[in-house]
Amino acid sequence: MARRALVIGGSGFIGMHTLRALKRDGRYAKVVSVDIAEPPERIDGFDYVIHDCRQPIPTHLADAETDIYNLPALRTFPGHPDEEYFETNYGTSERIIDLAEATGVRTIVFTSTMSVYATGDEPKTEDSPINPGNAYGASKVKGEALHRKWLAGDTDRRLVICRPAVIFGYRDNGNFTRLANALRSGYFVFVGRSDTIKSAGYVTDLADTFLFALDRMAQTGVREILYNFAYPERLTIRRIADAFCQVGGYPRVKLVLPPWLLNLAALPFEALNAVGIKNPIHRKRLQKLYEGTNIVPKWLEDQNFEFRTDIVSALEEWKSESPGGRFI
């Protein structure tokens, strides 16, 4: 068992919950979090280092008995120029691989994304073709290839690649937080249809799968594990919205409006964004509401991974942890 864990991106949404999972699990004698930002919370007994990991990472932070968790991601899309996704997502991975090469690290856990697949209603397993539709997904495809090249350099190395669907939970500040705010404010409507499959999973279950994959790797002796992460249930946008309304006490949404009408209504808000008045309304975000993301966690199902939550119990837990129950 590894003596230490180095969590790159430990101040981020997934990183914070990964640190919590490592604390619960207790397998590491030493855990170090590295991030460009101050952590939202600090766990007693863990070390925190503030560092921009697009720059060389100090080699004293790792050794041959270190497991590296490569979690940083510029994930909000749209929202940034294309080059920024590659600078952050791929550039950070380059520095992490440099660190692993220099210190003899033998194990890396890398979070990729479901965006390596094309959108659409057809199911996407780990064997589905790679076809990213945006710079975020393309940057992660490039990152996966870089990690596989590192893996091929030594037979003692091990690599876990996780491709998560939409992840939600405490301190999400992403798609599900925006949905909760819209439902609470009463301005959410379904775009085009209400049966669009929107694969998702709770952040604490995601963090548990990292450790589950490492354990399976130790038990079977395989050197690489690639898996999708999402609830096995094929969640639709209506199912998700109804779950929020049930847990949050919001009025149930029934209205379905055509995409063209909402795209037209979004134009003034995009103009405001262009002049620096920020708001979350954008035609590309509206498009995501009626594009399917049918991600199948086939490897997790085949390995009998037990999800601790479902959509309702996860939202209940998230609400209980958020100040005022506002799904922050």
Side-chain angles (χ1 to χ4, degrees), residues 32-309:
V32 179
S33 167
V34 182
D35 204 299
I36 193 172
E38 286 286 343
E41 63 179 42
R42 288 178 179 257
I43 297 175
D44 289 343
F46 286 7
D47 294 339
Y48 293 85
V49 176
I50 306 302
H51 180 75
D52 183 351
C53 290
R54 292 170 298 183
Q55 306 300 320
I57 303 170
T59 56
H60 72 268
L61 295 175
D63 59 25
E65 300 303 317
T66 299
D67 289 353
I68 291 181
Y69 292 77
N70 179 1
L71 309 180
L74 192 62
R75 62 188 177 102
T76 303
F77 188 88
H80 303 275
D82 285 358
E83 60 270 17
E84 290 188 11
Y85 294 97
F86 289 93
E87 179 186 359
T88 298
N89 299 338
Y90 183 72
T92 298
S93 288
E94 285 185 306
R95 301 291 78 76
I96 289 171
I97 295 299
D98 290 343
L99 175 68
E101 293 274 10
T103 59
V105 164
R106 297 191 295 265
T107 303
I108 298 178
V109 177
F110 174 57
T111 51
S112 185
T113 174
M114 70 172 178
S115 294
V116 303
Y117 306 115
T119 56
D121 292 341
E122 63 278 6
K124 310 295 192 309
T125 71
E126 294 86 351
D127 296 323
S128 295
I130 298 302
N131 187 16
N134 55 48
Y136 172 48
S139 69
K140 287 294 190 176
V141 170
K142 194 174 179 182
E144 287 187 15
L146 179 65
H147 283 77
R148 288 200 175 97
K149 182 178 179 181
W150 167 81
L151 178 68
D154 194 311
T155 57
D156 285 338
R157 294 172 179 170
R158 304 185 305 166
L159 175 64
V160 172
I161 297 176
C162 175
R163 293 173 175 167
V166 172
I167 305 302
F168 67 94
Y170 179 53
R171 294 189 178 274
D172 171 12
N173 196 32
N175 293 340
F176 271 47
T177 297
R178 286 190 288 270
L179 174 59
N181 290 338
L183 289 166
R184 184 176 61 252
S185 301
Y187 63 78
F188 178 79
V189 297
F190 296 111
V191 180
R193 56 180 179 157
S194 62
D195 62 351
T196 307
I197 295 175
K198 304 300 291 184
S199 294
Y202 192 44
V203 67
T204 59
D205 285 314
L206 171 63
D208 287 344
T209 66
F210 299 156
L211 299 172
F212 179 83
L214 289 175
D215 288 343
R216 279 290 187 270
M217 187 171 274
Q219 293 161 6
T220 61
V222 299
R223 296 181 56 231
E224 180 181 358
I225 290 176
L226 166 70
Y227 67 97
N228 293 339
F229 175 82
Y231 282 131
E233 179 185 357
R234 305 272 72 80
L235 294 169
T236 65
I237 186 63
R238 180 177 292 281
R239 169 77 169 122
I240 295 168
D242 285 350
F244 265 113
C245 293
Q246 174 186 336
V247 175
Y250 311 138
R252 189 168 183 267
V253 179
K254 298 180 180 179
L255 187 60
V256 180
L257 293 180
W260 68 264
L261 180 60
L262 291 168
N263 285 334
L264 185 64
L267 290 175
F269 294 94
E270 290 185 36
L272 291 174
N273 270 315
V275 298
I277 302 175
K278 298 300 181 182
N279 67 84
I281 299 175
H282 194 288
R283 281 171 294 171
K284 288 184 178 179
R285 287 205 177 98
L286 293 173
Q287 181 180 353
K288 288 165 69 175
L289 291 175
Y290 60 86
E291 284 184 339
T293 54
N294 190 355
I295 304 303
V296 179
K298 185 176 184 301
W299 183 84
L300 290 173
E301 292 181 297
D302 289 347
Q303 298 297 316
N304 299 313
F305 175 77
E306 294 185 9
F307 285 78
R308 189 178 59 82
T309 66

